[in-house]
Amino acid sequence: MLFLILRKESMQFHNKPPFKTRRLSTASSCIEKYQPLATDWKWYWLDEQNKWCQYGEQDLSGFKSSEVDSNDIEQNYLENLTGQMRFATLQFEYIMDFQKMEQLNLTTKKSRKVRRRPVFVDMKEIDKRKKRSAEIDPRMNRAMSSNMDVSCIPPEWSIDRGLSSDQVLDHFRRVKISESDSRTRDEYKKVKDLFGMSMPAGLISSIERIENGELWMNFASKRDKMKRKKKSGDLNERRLFHGTYHRYVDAICRQGFDFRFSGKSVGTKYGKGSYFSKSSIYADSYTDESKEMFVVLVLAGDTVKGDPSYVRPPPKNPRDPHELYDSCVDDVNSPNIYVIFTFDQVYPQYVVKYKRKSVLEFRCINFLLIHNEL
């Protein structure tokens, strides 16, 4: 019979040789708010008596009771796994470093260890949660379904305005718009003119409007949050282009842009996010022979010069790790490329299909564009 000793600190089974182990868990309850089987995480700090104390718990004096609890810390941690957060007690102010898993007292300069631990759930409780989960409408897992204002639906959408919020979430259509149709003529012309700023508009063969209720409500919610947060109210909302291969078009229409797969064709020169451009001719460089590109609504917000190391925009002030820029660009003064790191800051609005030209013809177009002759 083989006996193994698991050391919690090193997460290794000690035998000959030692075996590394990993803790497996479901998604954090801070992300999956409506998922009964999500993992609830608690945060602890090590006191003078070598005792682990949970954040947010009140002590007798009140001086050690922090203004944050485990839920606050978990949310900040999930936003930036290697970042920092600032918090305070009645007596002191601290900075928590998630990469080092330490908290630093800014007055005494004393550092303490920090831990993140999952709440134990026994099999009996898991069975109860599974039973409750089966009885809940699966659509409740979508955080927007319970308190949605459907009045923000774009006026041009072909959708019944009397639908419930759940029905709006389920709405998906790709609607072909036309210059010959009086109902969509103005809409078509706006997209055509935007495309024509850097490529001949006559190349367009069709334009489809994307009506995706779930993606739109996520985008609208993000827009409202940014409006409340920004004192100036300027969201720097832009309509940009995104070129891609035909095999990805339908997936983007239905599921949006996934920044986790960025860099497959464009690289990550300005960060590991989704890339969008002001010019259609730049987006054309990343399409295949089918020649399709997206026109995308983007909440660019406050921008900063990008960097290959970025997995999210950097802080505006290095001393305040919480206030981040909203997006990265290639040139702050005259941006052409925008990099977005969260799915709800972008909405794929149209799919533009256009005719394929020869390499020589495109070289001529590029030459004329560079010399402002087109």
Side-chain angles (χ1 to χ4, degrees), residues 189-205:
K189 187 176 185 303
K190 287 179 182 178
V191 180
K192 176 183 175 182
D193 290 347
L194 188 66
F195 180 92
M197 291 177 68
S198 59
M199 290 179 69
L203 293 178
I204 296 176
S205 56

Side-chain angles (χ1 to χ4, degrees), residues 51 57 71 136 148 190 244 291 295 304 351 360 373:
K51 176 185 175 184
E57 289 187 337
N71 188 60
I136 297 174
M148 209 181 334
K190 287 179 182 178
T244 190
K291 293 302 173 189
V295 175
V304 66
V351 176
L360 179 60
E373 295 178 19

Side-chain angles (χ1 to χ4, degrees), residues 328-345:
C328 292
V329 293
D330 57 337
D331 185 336
V332 175
N333 296 319
S334 181
N336 178 52
I337 300 170
Y338 292 79
V339 187
I340 304 297
F341 299 84
T342 60
F343 75 95
D344 52 359
Q345 274 182 247

Side-chain angles (χ1 to χ4, degrees), residues 125-322:
E125 176 62 22
I126 288 176
D127 290 338
K128 286 181 181 179
R129 293 186 182 186
K130 285 181 178 179
K131 186 177 180 180
R132 287 199 301 267
S133 179
E135 295 170 352
I136 297 174
D137 187 337
R139 287 174 295 187
M140 287 300 293
N141 288 333
R142 292 181 287 189
M144 294 300 303
S145 63
S146 61
N147 55 354
M148 209 181 334
D149 182 6
V150 297
S151 65
C152 69
I153 300 169
E156 62 271 15
W157 278 22
S158 55
I159 185 174
D160 181 359
R161 304 288 153 170
L163 293 179
S164 68
S165 59
D166 281 342
Q167 290 171 316
V168 172
L169 281 169
D170 290 330
H171 177 75
F172 176 81
R173 287 187 67 187
R174 290 173 62 173
V175 180
K176 190 171 182 178
I177 62 175
S178 171
E179 204 167 16
S180 60
D181 188 337
S182 60
R183 295 170 299 178
T184 61
R185 184 178 297 127
D186 292 341
E187 184 182 5
Y188 185 96
K189 187 176 185 303
K190 287 179 182 178
V191 180
K192 176 183 175 182
D193 290 347
L194 188 66
F195 180 92
M197 291 177 68
S198 59
M199 290 179 69
L203 293 178
I204 296 176
S205 56
S206 70
I207 299 175
E208 283 184 321
R209 179 201 310 131
I210 303 166
E211 299 181 2
N212 186 317
E214 188 166 2
L215 291 183
W216 177 258
M217 297 313 294
N218 286 330
F219 178 81
S221 176
K222 181 66 173 182
R223 179 197 271 163
D224 288 341
K225 289 177 184 176
M226 289 178 69
K227 280 181 180 178
R228 291 194 298 268
K229 185 178 179 181
K230 294 186 180 299
K231 295 177 182 178
S232 64
D234 182 16
L235 304 183
N236 194 15
E237 186 171 325
R238 294 178 174 272
R239 191 172 272 132
L240 305 173
F241 293 97
H242 178 88
T244 190
Y245 296 162
H246 173 73
R247 64 179 179 271
Y248 299 134
V249 170
D250 190 59
I252 291 174
C253 289
R254 293 179 179 276
Q255 299 158 12
F257 296 95
D258 194 333
F259 64 91
R260 292 173 298 179
F261 300 107
S262 65
K264 299 297 184 183
S265 59
V266 302
T268 57
K269 185 176 181 180
Y270 304 109
K272 299 175 178 66
S274 296
Y275 282 60
F276 307 92
S277 174
K278 287 169 60 177
S279 61
S280 55
I281 198 165
Y282 181 88
D284 171 74
S285 305
Y286 300 99
T287 62
D288 56 15
E289 60 276 2
S290 68
K291 293 302 173 189
E292 294 170 276
M293 69 174 66
F294 285 91
V295 175
V296 186
L297 281 179
V298 176
L299 299 171
D302 297 325
T303 63
V304 66
K305 177 71 177 287
D307 184 271
S309 65
Y310 291 162
V311 294
R312 57 183 291 164
K316 295 180 181 178
N317 184 344
R319 291 175 294 181
D320 183 1
H322 308 302

Side-chain angles (χ1 to χ4, degrees), residues 60-77:
L60 295 177
S61 67
F63 286 112
K64 294 180 182 178
S65 180
S66 68
E67 64 182 7
V68 298
D69 58 17
S70 291
N71 188 60
D72 298 320
I73 299 172
E74 179 71 7
Q75 288 180 354
N76 278 274
Y77 172 74

